[in-house]
């Protein structure tokens, strides 16, 4: 018996998302993410409302890249 009455697909944990990304990866690999990170960080610094669907999806599921992106944004923002 399940005690969770809400099968909400947005309820996925980063671990689930990461597993999904590894399986069918509709978005980016870590390598591709890394290649785009400079551009992404610059865009975010210029416009905090900037979104990149592919990057955002990867960063949600990949703590390592997320950390890297955040520190890069902070670095650029501090200049
Ligand atoms: Zn990654």
């Amino acid at each position: 018996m399940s005690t969770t009455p809400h099968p909400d697909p947005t309820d996925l944990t980063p671990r689930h998302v990461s597993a999904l990304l590894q399986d069918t990866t509709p978005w980016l690999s870590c390598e591709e993410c890394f290649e785009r990170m400079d551009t992404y960080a610059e865009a975010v610094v210029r416009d905090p409302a900037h979104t990149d669907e592919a990057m955002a999806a990867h960063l949600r599921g990949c703590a390592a890249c997320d950390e890297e992106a955040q520190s890069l944004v902070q670095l650029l923002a501090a200049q």
Side-chain angles (χ1 to χ4, degrees), residues 28-31 33-34 37 58-59 61-66:
L28 304 173
S29 67
C30 282
E31 206 172 309
C33 177
F34 207 78
M37 202 171 277
H58 184 87
L59 296 182
C62 182
C65 289
D66 189 38

Side-chain angles (χ1 to χ4, degrees), residues 1-26:
M1 280 294 252
S2 173
T3 51
T4 51
H6 50 85
D8 188 346
T10 61
D11 233 352
L12 289 170
T13 66
R15 190 179 294 250
H16 286 138
V17 175
S18 181
L20 289 173
L21 287 173
Q22 278 164 15
D23 271 354
T24 54
T25 195

